[in-house]
Amino acid sequence: MTTDLQDYSHKRFNILTGEWVLVSPHRAKRPWQGQNEAVSKEVRPSYDESCYLCAGNTRINGEQNPKYEDVFVFTNDFAALQNDSKTFQIEDGLLIAHSEQGICKVVCFSPDHSKSLADMDPKDITKVVKAWQHEYETLGANPNINYVQIFENKGPVMGCSNPHPHGQIWSQSTLPNEVEKKDKQQQAYYDKNKRSLLGEYLNQELEKQERIIFENDSFAILIPFWAVWPFETMIVPKTPQNNILEMTDKESSLFAEAISVITKAYDRLFNTSFPYSSGIHQAPTNGKDNNHWHWHMSFYPPLLRSATVKKFMVGYEMFGSPQRDITAEIATQKLKELI
């Protein structure tokens, strides 16, 4: 990798969204005089009688959770999308609104209140993967559902309202913004080259080995060349697959291993339970030929220099474009040392 990318300001192109990120490596050398926060020393019990997600407890809507022993999925009691909402469309000059329907689920990863994915055994994470596959297939079979978004917010800083290990699935009738961008970019490349955009990119990364953190027989973990967040990572199948249903049982286990590896490395980085938002982007469930899609899972963690120094998206990033100081290559070295 040319040293220019480590010494001088430049822009990097995100091939999946068609957008740019400003990189300012020289700024990483400046002293930090911004906000610091206390590191949480909380040690959670394996069961919390006041937790709405713990096995056997009663949720706020009065429903009782079963005494589940591994993964538990239920319809969100405070869903952002309504399955039975009225269909309408408003186009009053420049005032435009369309109704949106959907189904939202909560996925409890484990009955153990104290564990995150980083604390779970890969075989137990495989059960979570299987639950994701089941929900993607079941929700996607609904004719009113055209996209299924699987994601997790970990930690209070990411807006997580309950510390019990869990993620969410929002499924809806149209494609959300980020997915629509990736759909168009991958479609354009596939139409021109008859090959997977992300597959071609991954082959280049595997050859260079500059941003690869970990790989097994079926998956690679890397920091994207265009990453926005300081320690942003992506898990990518080595063989192009449209969605997570295309994984074999062995590949599901290897995917779980990759999740285990990166979440454990995150916790070691600053010796804290590392916050992040993670999500899987995959083919829409709209009944179309989505062969241009190559699914992947991204992790967007906000921590920058320590467990108490966060990356804030403010100023130029709100009014111009995303910007980062630490380069993807330096971040790769730091994470790779922890695996």
Side-chain angles (χ1 to χ4, degrees), residues 239-323:
T239 300
Q241 297 175 342
N242 300 156
N243 58 64
I244 58 175
L245 294 180
E246 296 184 18
M247 285 188 288
T248 64
D249 287 343
K250 181 180 180 181
E251 288 170 334
S252 295
S253 297
L254 291 173
F255 178 38
E257 178 192 34
I259 293 173
S260 176
V261 165
I262 189 56
T263 53
K264 281 179 168 58
Y266 277 150
D267 280 9
R268 296 187 191 113
L269 182 61
F270 296 134
N271 194 29
T272 188
S273 184
F274 208 79
Y276 59 73
S277 280
S278 66
I280 298 174
H281 276 159
Q282 55 190 321
T285 57
N286 52 14
K288 296 181 180 180
D289 179 358
N290 290 303
N291 287 335
H292 56 288
W293 264 90
H294 189 147
W295 76 268
H296 49 284
M297 183 176 191
S298 296
F299 290 80
Y300 300 155
L303 297 186
L304 174 60
R305 296 176 178 226
S306 72
T308 63
V309 176
K310 298 196 299 286
K311 161 75 175 178
F312 292 95
M313 290 291 184
V314 295
Y316 178 85
E317 288 147 324
M318 296 178 74
F319 296 99
S321 68
Q323 180 270 340

Coordinates of all heavy atoms in Angstrom, one line a residue, residues 239-323:
T239 N -17.5 -17.3 -1.3 CA -18.3 -17.7 -2.4 C -19.5 -16.8 -2.5 O -20.2 -16.7 -1.5 CB -18.7 -19.2 -2.4 OG1 -17.5 -20.0 -2.3 CG2 -19.5 -19.6 -3.6
P240 N -19.7 -16.1 -3.6 CA -20.9 -15.3 -3.7 C -22.2 -16.0 -3.4 O -22.5 -17.0 -4.0 CB -20.9 -14.8 -5.2 CG -19.4 -14.9 -5.6 CD -18.9 -16.1 -4.8
Q241 N -22.9 -15.4 -2.5 CA -24.3 -15.9 -2.1 C -25.2 -14.8 -2.0 O -24.8 -13.7 -1.5 CB -24.2 -16.7 -0.7 CG -23.3 -17.9 -0.7 CD -23.2 -18.6 0.6 OE1 -23.5 -17.9 1.7 NE2 -22.7 -19.8 0.7
N242 N -26.4 -14.9 -2.5 CA -27.4 -13.9 -2.5 C -27.9 -13.5 -1.0 O -28.1 -12.4 -0.7 CB -28.6 -14.2 -3.3 CG -28.2 -14.4 -4.8 OD1 -29.0 -15.1 -5.5 ND2 -27.1 -13.9 -5.2
N243 N -28.1 -14.6 -0.2 CA -28.7 -14.4 1.1 C -28.2 -15.5 2.0 O -27.5 -16.5 1.6 CB -30.2 -14.4 1.0 CG -30.8 -15.6 0.4 OD1 -30.6 -16.7 1.0 ND2 -31.4 -15.5 -0.7
I244 N -28.5 -15.4 3.3 CA -28.0 -16.3 4.3 C -28.6 -17.7 4.2 O -28.1 -18.6 4.8 CB -28.2 -15.8 5.7 CG1 -29.6 -15.5 6.0 CG2 -27.3 -14.5 5.9 CD1 -29.9 -15.0 7.5
L245 N -29.7 -17.9 3.4 CA -30.3 -19.2 3.3 C -29.4 -20.1 2.4 O -29.5 -21.3 2.5 CB -31.7 -19.1 2.6 CG -32.8 -18.4 3.5 CD1 -34.1 -18.4 2.7 CD2 -32.9 -19.1 4.8
E246 N -28.5 -19.5 1.7 CA -27.6 -20.3 0.8 C -26.5 -21.0 1.5 O -25.7 -21.8 0.9 CB -27.1 -19.4 -0.4 CG -28.3 -18.9 -1.3 CD -27.8 -18.1 -2.5 OE1 -26.6 -18.3 -2.8 OE2 -28.6 -17.4 -3.1
M247 N -26.3 -20.7 2.8 CA -25.2 -21.3 3.5 C -25.6 -22.8 3.8 O -26.7 -23.1 4.2 CB -25.0 -20.6 4.9 CG -24.3 -19.3 4.8 SD -23.9 -18.6 6.5 CE -25.5 -18.1 7.1
T248 N -24.6 -23.6 3.8 CA -24.7 -25.0 4.2 C -24.6 -25.0 5.8 O -24.3 -24.0 6.4 CB -23.6 -25.9 3.7 OG1 -22.3 -25.4 4.1 CG2 -23.6 -25.8 2.1
D249 N -24.9 -26.1 6.4 CA -24.7 -26.2 7.8 C -23.3 -25.9 8.3 O -23.1 -25.2 9.3 CB -25.1 -27.6 8.3 CG -26.6 -27.8 8.3 OD1 -27.4 -26.8 8.2 OD2 -27.1 -29.0 8.3
K250 N -22.3 -26.4 7.5 CA -20.9 -26.1 7.8 C -20.6 -24.7 7.7 O -19.9 -24.1 8.6 CB -20.0 -27.0 6.9 CG -18.5 -26.7 7.2 CD -17.6 -27.5 6.3 CE -16.1 -27.3 6.7 NZ -15.2 -28.0 5.8
E251 N -21.2 -24.0 6.7 CA -20.9 -22.6 6.5 C -21.6 -21.8 7.6 O -21.0 -20.8 8.0 CB -21.4 -22.2 5.1 CG -20.5 -22.7 3.9 CD -21.1 -22.4 2.6 OE1 -22.4 -22.3 2.5 OE2 -20.4 -22.4 1.6
S252 N -22.7 -22.2 8.0 CA -23.4 -21.5 9.1 C -22.5 -21.5 10.4 O -22.4 -20.5 11.1 CB -24.7 -22.1 9.4 OG -25.6 -22.0 8.4
S253 N -21.8 -22.7 10.6 CA -20.9 -22.8 11.8 C -19.7 -21.9 11.6 O -19.2 -21.3 12.5 CB -20.5 -24.3 12.0 OG -21.6 -25.1 12.3
L254 N -19.2 -21.9 10.4 CA -18.0 -21.0 10.1 C -18.4 -19.5 10.2 O -17.5 -18.7 10.5 CB -17.5 -21.4 8.7 CG -16.8 -22.8 8.6 CD1 -16.4 -23.1 7.2 CD2 -15.5 -22.8 9.5
F255 N -19.6 -19.2 9.8 CA -20.1 -17.8 9.9 C -20.1 -17.5 11.4 O -19.7 -16.4 11.9 CB -21.4 -17.7 9.3 CG -22.1 -16.3 9.4 CD1 -21.3 -15.1 9.3 CD2 -23.4 -16.2 9.6 CE1 -21.9 -13.9 9.4 CE2 -24.0 -14.9 9.7 CZ -23.2 -13.8 9.6
A256 N -20.6 -18.4 12.2 CA -20.7 -18.2 13.7 C -19.3 -18.0 14.3 O -19.1 -17.2 15.2 CB -21.4 -19.3 14.3
E257 N -18.3 -18.8 13.7 CA -17.0 -18.7 14.2 C -16.4 -17.3 13.9 O -15.8 -16.6 14.8 CB -16.1 -19.7 13.5 CG -14.6 -19.6 13.9 CD -13.7 -20.4 13.0 OE1 -13.9 -20.5 11.8 OE2 -12.6 -20.9 13.6
A258 N -16.7 -16.8 12.7 CA -16.3 -15.4 12.3 C -16.9 -14.3 13.3 O -16.2 -13.4 13.7 CB -16.6 -15.1 10.9
I259 N -18.1 -14.5 13.6 CA -18.8 -13.5 14.5 C -18.1 -13.6 15.9 O -17.8 -12.6 16.5 CB -20.3 -13.9 14.6 CG1 -21.0 -13.6 13.3 CG2 -20.9 -13.0 15.8 CD1 -22.5 -14.0 13.3
S260 N -17.8 -14.8 16.3 CA -17.2 -15.0 17.6 C -15.8 -14.4 17.6 O -15.4 -13.7 18.6 CB -17.1 -16.5 17.9 OG -16.4 -16.7 19.1
V261 N -15.1 -14.6 16.6 CA -13.7 -14.0 16.5 C -13.7 -12.5 16.5 O -12.9 -11.9 17.3 CB -13.0 -14.5 15.2 CG1 -11.7 -13.7 14.9 CG2 -12.6 -16.0 15.3
I262 N -14.5 -11.8 15.8 CA -14.4 -10.4 15.7 C -15.0 -9.7 17.0 O -14.5 -8.7 17.5 CB -15.1 -9.8 14.4 CG1 -14.9 -8.3 14.3 CG2 -16.6 -10.1 14.4 CD1 -13.4 -7.9 14.3
T263 N -16.1 -10.3 17.5 CA -16.6 -9.7 18.7 C -15.7 -9.9 19.9 O -15.6 -9.0 20.8 CB -18.0 -10.3 19.1 OG1 -17.9 -11.7 19.1 CG2 -19.1 -9.9 18.0
K264 N -15.0 -11.0 20.0 CA -14.0 -11.2 21.1 C -12.8 -10.2 20.9 O -12.3 -9.6 21.9 CB -13.5 -12.6 21.1 CG -14.4 -13.6 21.7 CD -13.9 -15.0 21.7 CE -14.6 -16.0 22.6 NZ -16.1 -16.1 22.2
A265 N -12.4 -10.0 19.6 CA -11.3 -9.1 19.4 C -11.7 -7.7 19.8 O -10.9 -6.9 20.3 CB -10.9 -9.1 17.9
Y266 N -12.9 -7.3 19.5 CA -13.4 -6.0 19.8 C -13.3 -5.8 21.4 O -12.8 -4.7 21.8 CB -14.9 -5.8 19.4 CG -15.1 -5.4 18.0 CD1 -16.2 -5.8 17.3 CD2 -14.2 -4.6 17.3 CE1 -16.5 -5.4 16.0 CE2 -14.4 -4.2 16.0 CZ -15.5 -4.6 15.3 OH -15.8 -4.2 14.0
D267 N -13.7 -6.8 22.1 CA -13.7 -6.6 23.6 C -12.3 -6.5 24.1 O -12.0 -5.9 25.1 CB -14.4 -7.8 24.3 CG -15.9 -7.7 24.2 OD1 -16.4 -6.8 23.6 OD2 -16.6 -8.5 24.9
R268 N -11.3 -7.1 23.4 CA -9.9 -7.1 23.8 C -9.3 -5.7 23.5 O -8.3 -5.3 24.1 CB -9.1 -8.2 23.2 CG -9.5 -9.6 23.6 CD -8.6 -10.6 23.0 NE -9.1 -12.0 23.2 CZ -9.5 -12.8 22.2 NH1 -9.4 -12.4 21.0 NH2 -10.0 -14.0 22.4
L269 N -9.8 -5.1 22.4 CA -9.2 -3.9 21.9 C -9.0 -2.8 23.0 O -7.8 -2.3 23.1 CB -10.0 -3.3 20.7 CG -9.4 -2.1 20.0 CD1 -8.1 -2.4 19.4 CD2 -10.4 -1.6 19.0
F270 N -10.0 -2.5 23.7 CA -9.9 -1.5 24.8 C -10.3 -2.1 26.1 O -10.6 -1.3 27.0 CB -10.8 -0.3 24.4 CG -10.4 0.5 23.2 CD1 -11.3 0.9 22.3 CD2 -9.0 0.8 23.0 CE1 -10.9 1.5 21.1 CE2 -8.6 1.5 21.8 CZ -9.6 1.9 20.9
N271 N -10.3 -3.4 26.2 CA -10.6 -4.1 27.5 C -11.9 -3.6 28.0 O -12.0 -3.3 29.2 CB -9.5 -3.9 28.5 CG -9.6 -4.8 29.7 OD1 -10.0 -5.9 29.5 ND2 -9.1 -4.4 30.9
T272 N -12.9 -3.7 27.2 CA -14.3 -3.3 27.6 C -15.3 -4.0 26.7 O -14.9 -4.6 25.7 CB -14.5 -1.8 27.4 OG1 -15.7 -1.4 28.0 CG2 -14.5 -1.4 26.0
S273 N -16.5 -4.1 27.2 CA -17.6 -4.7 26.4 C -17.9 -3.7 25.2 O -18.5 -2.7 25.4 CB -18.8 -5.0 27.2 OG -19.8 -5.6 26.4
F274 N -17.4 -4.0 24.1 CA -17.3 -3.1 23.0 C -18.6 -2.8 22.3 O -19.3 -3.8 21.9 CB -16.3 -3.7 21.9 CG -15.6 -2.8 21.0 CD1 -14.5 -2.1 21.5 CD2 -16.0 -2.5 19.7 CE1 -13.8 -1.2 20.7 CE2 -15.3 -1.6 18.9 CZ -14.2 -1.0 19.4
P275 N -19.1 -1.6 22.3 CA -20.4 -1.3 21.7 C -20.3 -1.2 20.2 O -19.2 -0.9 19.6 CB -20.7 0.1 22.2 CG -19.3 0.7 22.4 CD -18.4 -0.4 22.9
Y276 N -21.4 -1.5 19.5 CA -21.4 -1.5 18.1 C -22.9 -1.6 17.6 O -23.7 -2.0 18.3 CB -20.6 -2.6 17.4 CG -21.0 -4.0 17.8 CD1 -22.1 -4.6 17.3 CD2 -20.2 -4.8 18.6 CE1 -22.5 -5.9 17.6 CE2 -20.6 -6.1 19.0 CZ -21.7 -6.6 18.5 OH -22.1 -7.9 18.8
S277 N -23.1 -1.3 16.3 CA -24.3 -1.7 15.6 C -23.8 -2.6 14.5 O -22.8 -2.3 13.8 CB -25.0 -0.5 15.0 OG -25.8 0.2 16.0
S278 N -24.4 -3.7 14.4 CA -24.1 -4.7 13.3 C -25.3 -5.0 12.5 O -26.5 -4.9 13.0 CB -23.5 -6.0 13.9 OG -24.5 -6.7 14.6
G279 N -25.2 -5.4 11.3 CA -26.3 -5.7 10.5 C -25.9 -6.5 9.2 O -24.8 -6.4 8.8
I280 N -26.9 -7.3 8.8 CA -26.7 -8.1 7.6 C -27.4 -7.5 6.4 O -28.6 -7.3 6.5 CB -27.2 -9.6 7.8 CG1 -26.4 -10.2 8.9 CG2 -27.1 -10.4 6.5 CD1 -26.9 -11.6 9.3
H281 N -26.7 -7.2 5.3 CA -27.3 -6.8 4.1 C -27.3 -7.9 3.1 O -26.3 -8.5 2.8 CB -26.5 -5.6 3.5 CG -26.9 -4.3 4.1 ND1 -26.1 -3.1 4.1 CD2 -28.0 -3.9 4.8 CE1 -26.7 -2.1 4.7 NE2 -27.9 -2.6 5.1
Q282 N -28.5 -8.2 2.6 CA -28.6 -9.4 1.7 C -29.7 -9.1 0.7 O -30.4 -8.0 0.7 CB -28.9 -10.6 2.5 CG -30.1 -10.5 3.4 CD -30.2 -11.7 4.3 OE1 -30.0 -12.9 4.0 NE2 -30.6 -11.5 5.6
A283 N -30.0 -10.0 -0.2 CA -30.9 -9.8 -1.3 C -32.3 -9.5 -0.8 O -32.8 -10.1 0.2 CB -30.9 -11.0 -2.2
P284 N -33.0 -8.6 -1.4 CA -34.4 -8.4 -1.1 C -35.3 -9.6 -1.3 O -34.9 -10.6 -2.0 CB -34.9 -7.3 -2.1 CG -33.6 -6.6 -2.5 CD -32.6 -7.7 -2.5
T285 N -36.4 -9.7 -0.7 CA -37.3 -10.8 -0.8 C -38.5 -10.4 -1.7 O -39.7 -10.8 -1.4 CB -37.8 -11.3 0.6 OG1 -38.5 -10.1 1.2 CG2 -36.7 -11.7 1.4
N286 N -38.2 -9.7 -2.8 CA -39.2 -9.1 -3.6 C -39.6 -10.0 -4.8 O -40.3 -9.6 -5.7 CB -38.8 -7.8 -4.1 CG -37.4 -7.8 -4.8 OD1 -36.9 -8.9 -5.0 ND2 -36.8 -6.6 -5.0
G287 N -39.1 -11.2 -4.8 CA -39.4 -12.2 -5.9 C -38.7 -11.9 -7.2 O -38.9 -12.6 -8.2
K288 N -37.8 -11.0 -7.2 CA -37.0 -10.7 -8.4 C -35.7 -11.5 -8.5 O -35.3 -12.1 -7.5 CB -36.7 -9.2 -8.5 CG -37.9 -8.3 -8.6 CD -37.4 -6.8 -8.6 CE -38.6 -5.9 -8.7 NZ -38.2 -4.4 -8.8
D289 N -35.1 -11.5 -9.6 CA -33.8 -12.2 -9.8 C -32.8 -11.3 -9.2 O -32.4 -10.3 -9.7 CB -33.5 -12.4 -11.3 CG -32.2 -13.1 -11.5 OD1 -31.5 -13.3 -10.5 OD2 -31.9 -13.3 -12.7
N290 N -32.3 -11.7 -8.0 CA -31.3 -10.9 -7.3 C -29.9 -11.5 -7.3 O -29.2 -11.4 -6.3 CB -31.8 -10.7 -5.8 CG -33.0 -9.7 -5.8 OD1 -33.0 -8.6 -6.2 ND2 -34.1 -10.2 -5.2
N291 N -29.6 -12.1 -8.4 CA -28.3 -12.7 -8.5 C -27.1 -11.8 -8.4 O -25.9 -12.2 -8.2 CB -28.2 -13.5 -9.9 CG -29.0 -14.7 -9.9 OD1 -29.3 -15.3 -8.8 ND2 -29.4 -15.2 -11.0
H292 N -27.3 -10.5 -8.5 CA -26.3 -9.5 -8.4 C -25.9 -9.3 -6.9 O -24.8 -8.7 -6.6 CB -26.7 -8.2 -9.0 CG -27.9 -7.6 -8.4 ND1 -29.2 -8.1 -8.6 CD2 -28.2 -6.5 -7.5 CE1 -30.1 -7.4 -8.0 NE2 -29.5 -6.5 -7.3
W293 N -26.7 -9.8 -6.0 CA -26.4 -9.6 -4.6 C -25.4 -10.6 -4.0 O -25.3 -11.7 -4.4 CB -27.7 -9.7 -3.7 CG -28.3 -8.4 -3.5 CD1 -29.3 -7.8 -4.3 CD2 -28.1 -7.5 -2.4 NE1 -29.6 -6.6 -3.7 CE2 -28.9 -6.4 -2.6 CE3 -27.2 -7.6 -1.3 CZ2 -28.9 -5.3 -1.7 CZ3 -27.2 -6.6 -0.4 CH2 -28.0 -5.4 -0.6
H294 N -24.5 -10.0 -3.1 CA -23.5 -10.8 -2.4 C -23.7 -10.4 -0.9 O -23.3 -9.3 -0.6 CB -22.1 -10.5 -2.9 CG -21.0 -11.4 -2.4 ND1 -20.0 -11.8 -3.2 CD2 -20.9 -12.0 -1.2 CE1 -19.2 -12.5 -2.5 NE2 -19.7 -12.7 -1.3
W295 N -24.3 -11.2 -0.1 CA -24.6 -10.8 1.2 C -23.4 -10.6 2.1 O -22.3 -11.2 1.8 CB -25.6 -11.7 1.9 CG -25.0 -13.1 2.4 CD1 -24.9 -14.2 1.7 CD2 -24.5 -13.3 3.7 NE1 -24.4 -15.2 2.5 CE2 -24.1 -14.7 3.7 CE3 -24.3 -12.6 4.8 CZ2 -23.5 -15.3 4.8 CZ3 -23.7 -13.1 5.9 CH2 -23.3 -14.5 5.9
H296 N -23.5 -9.8 3.1 CA -22.4 -9.5 4.0 C -22.9 -8.9 5.3 O -24.0 -8.4 5.4 CB -21.4 -8.5 3.4 CG -22.1 -7.3 2.8 ND1 -22.8 -7.3 1.6 CD2 -22.2 -6.0 3.3 CE1 -23.3 -6.1 1.4 NE2 -23.0 -5.3 2.4
M297 N -22.1 -9.0 6.4 CA -22.4 -8.5 7.7 C -21.4 -7.5 8.1 O -20.2 -7.7 8.0 CB -22.4 -9.6 8.7 CG -22.9 -9.2 10.1 SD -22.9 -10.6 11.3 CE -23.8 -9.8 12.7
S298 N -21.9 -6.3 8.5 CA -21.0 -5.2 8.9 C -21.2 -4.8 10.4 O -22.3 -5.0 10.9 CB -21.4 -3.9 8.0 OG -21.1 -4.1 6.7
F299 N -20.1 -4.4 10.9 CA -20.0 -3.9 12.3 C -19.6 -2.5 12.3 O -18.5 -2.2 11.8 CB -19.0 -4.8 13.2 CG -19.5 -6.2 13.4 CD1 -19.3 -7.2 12.4 CD2 -20.1 -6.5 14.6 CE1 -19.8 -8.5 12.7 CE2 -20.5 -7.8 14.9 CZ -20.3 -8.8 13.9
Y300 N -20.4 -1.6 12.9 CA -20.1 -0.2 13.0 C -19.9 0.2 14.5 O -20.8 0.5 15.2 CB -21.2 0.6 12.4 CG -21.5 0.4 11.0 CD1 -22.7 0.7 10.4 CD2 -20.5 -0.1 10.1 CE1 -23.0 0.4 9.1 CE2 -20.8 -0.3 8.8 CZ -22.0 -0.1 8.3 OH -22.3 -0.3 6.9
P301 N -18.6 0.1 15.0 CA -18.4 0.5 16.4 C -18.0 2.0 16.5 O -17.2 2.5 15.7 CB -17.3 -0.4 16.8 CG -16.7 -1.0 15.6 CD -17.5 -0.5 14.4
P302 N -18.4 2.7 17.6 CA -18.1 4.1 17.7 C -16.8 4.4 18.4 O -16.4 5.6 18.3 CB -19.3 4.6 18.5 CG -19.6 3.5 19.4 CD -19.4 2.2 18.6
L303 N -16.2 3.5 19.1 CA -15.0 3.8 19.9 C -13.8 4.2 19.0 O -13.6 3.5 18.0 CB -14.6 2.7 20.8 CG -15.7 2.4 21.9 CD1 -15.2 1.3 22.9 CD2 -16.1 3.6 22.6
L304 N -13.0 5.2 19.4 CA -12.0 5.7 18.5 C -10.6 5.4 19.1 O -9.8 4.7 18.5 CB -12.1 7.2 18.3 CG -11.0 7.9 17.6 CD1 -10.9 7.4 16.2 CD2 -11.4 9.4 17.5
R305 N -10.3 5.9 20.3 CA -8.9 5.8 20.9 C -8.9 5.0 22.1 O -7.8 4.5 22.5 CB -8.4 7.2 21.2 CG -8.2 8.1 20.0 CD -7.8 9.5 20.4 NE -7.6 10.3 19.2 CZ -6.5 11.1 19.0 NH1 -5.6 11.2 20.0 NH2 -6.4 11.9 18.0
S306 N -10.0 4.8 22.8 CA -10.0 4.1 24.1 C -11.4 3.7 24.4 O -12.4 4.1 23.6 CB -9.4 4.9 25.2 OG -10.3 5.9 25.6
A307 N -11.6 3.1 25.5 CA -13.0 2.7 25.9 C -13.8 3.9 26.3 O -15.1 3.9 26.4 CB -12.9 1.8 27.1
T308 N -13.2 5.1 26.4 CA -13.9 6.3 26.8 C -13.9 7.4 25.7 O -14.4 8.5 26.0 CB -13.3 6.9 28.1 OG1 -12.0 7.3 27.9 CG2 -13.4 5.8 29.2
V309 N -13.3 7.2 24.6 CA -13.2 8.2 23.5 C -14.0 7.7 22.3 O -13.6 6.7 21.7 CB -11.8 8.5 23.1 CG1 -11.8 9.5 22.0 CG2 -11.0 9.1 24.3
K310 N -15.1 8.4 22.0 CA -15.9 8.0 20.9 C -15.7 8.8 19.6 O -15.2 9.9 19.7 CB -17.4 8.1 21.3 CG -17.9 7.2 22.4 CD -19.4 7.1 22.5 CE -20.1 8.4 22.7 NZ -19.9 8.9 24.0
K311 N -16.1 8.2 18.5 CA -16.1 8.9 17.2 C -17.5 9.6 17.1 O -18.5 8.9 17.2 CB -15.8 8.0 16.1 CG -16.3 8.4 14.7 CD -15.3 9.5 14.2 CE -15.7 9.8 12.7 NZ -14.9 10.9 12.2
F312 N -17.5 10.9 16.9 CA -18.8 11.6 16.7 C -19.0 12.0 15.3 O -18.0 12.5 14.6 CB -18.8 12.8 17.6 CG -18.9 12.6 19.1 CD1 -17.7 12.5 19.8 CD2 -20.1 12.3 19.7 CE1 -17.8 12.3 21.2 CE2 -20.1 12.0 21.1 CZ -19.0 12.0 21.8
M313 N -20.2 11.8 14.8 CA -20.5 12.2 13.4 C -21.1 13.6 13.5 O -22.4 13.7 13.7 CB -21.5 11.2 12.7 CG -20.8 9.9 12.4 SD -19.6 10.1 11.0 CE -19.2 8.4 10.8
V314 N -20.3 14.6 13.4 CA -20.8 16.0 13.6 C -20.2 16.9 12.6 O -19.3 16.5 11.8 CB -20.5 16.5 15.0 CG1 -21.2 15.7 16.1 CG2 -19.0 16.5 15.3
G315 N -20.6 18.2 12.6 CA -19.9 19.2 11.7 C -19.9 18.8 10.3 O -20.9 18.6 9.6
Y316 N -18.6 18.7 9.8 CA -18.4 18.4 8.4 C -19.1 17.1 7.9 O -19.7 17.0 6.9 CB -16.9 18.3 8.1 CG -16.6 17.9 6.6 CD1 -16.6 18.9 5.6 CD2 -16.4 16.6 6.3 CE1 -16.3 18.6 4.3 CE2 -16.1 16.3 4.9 CZ -16.1 17.2 4.0 OH -15.8 16.9 2.7
E317 N -19.1 16.1 8.9 CA -19.7 14.8 8.5 C -21.2 14.9 8.4 O -21.8 14.1 7.7 CB -19.3 13.8 9.6 CG -17.9 13.4 9.5 CD -17.3 13.1 10.9 OE1 -17.6 13.7 11.8 OE2 -16.4 12.2 10.9
M318 N -21.8 15.9 9.1 CA -23.3 16.0 9.0 C -23.6 16.9 7.8 O -24.7 16.7 7.1 CB -23.8 16.7 10.2 CG -23.7 15.9 11.5 SD -24.3 16.7 13.0 CE -26.1 16.5 12.7
F319 N -22.8 17.8 7.4 CA -23.1 18.7 6.3 C -22.3 18.5 5.0 O -22.6 19.0 4.0 CB -22.8 20.2 6.8 CG -23.7 20.6 7.9 CD1 -23.3 20.6 9.2 CD2 -25.0 21.0 7.7 CE1 -24.1 21.0 10.3 CE2 -25.8 21.4 8.7 CZ -25.4 21.4 10.0
G320 N -21.2 17.7 5.1 CA -20.4 17.4 4.0 C -20.4 15.9 3.6 O -21.3 15.4 2.9
S321 N -19.5 15.1 4.2 CA -19.4 13.7 4.0 C -18.7 13.0 5.2 O -18.0 13.7 5.9 CB -18.7 13.4 2.7 OG -17.3 13.7 2.8
P322 N -18.8 11.7 5.3 CA -18.1 11.1 6.4 C -16.6 11.3 6.4 O -16.0 11.5 5.3 CB -18.5 9.6 6.2 CG -19.7 9.6 5.4 CD -19.6 10.8 4.5
Q323 N -16.0 11.3 7.5 CA -14.5 11.5 7.6 C -13.9 10.6 8.7 O -14.6 10.4 9.7 CB -14.2 13.0 7.9 CG -12.8 13.4 8.0 CD -12.2 13.3 9.4 OE1 -13.0 13.3 10.4 NE2 -10.9 13.2 9.5

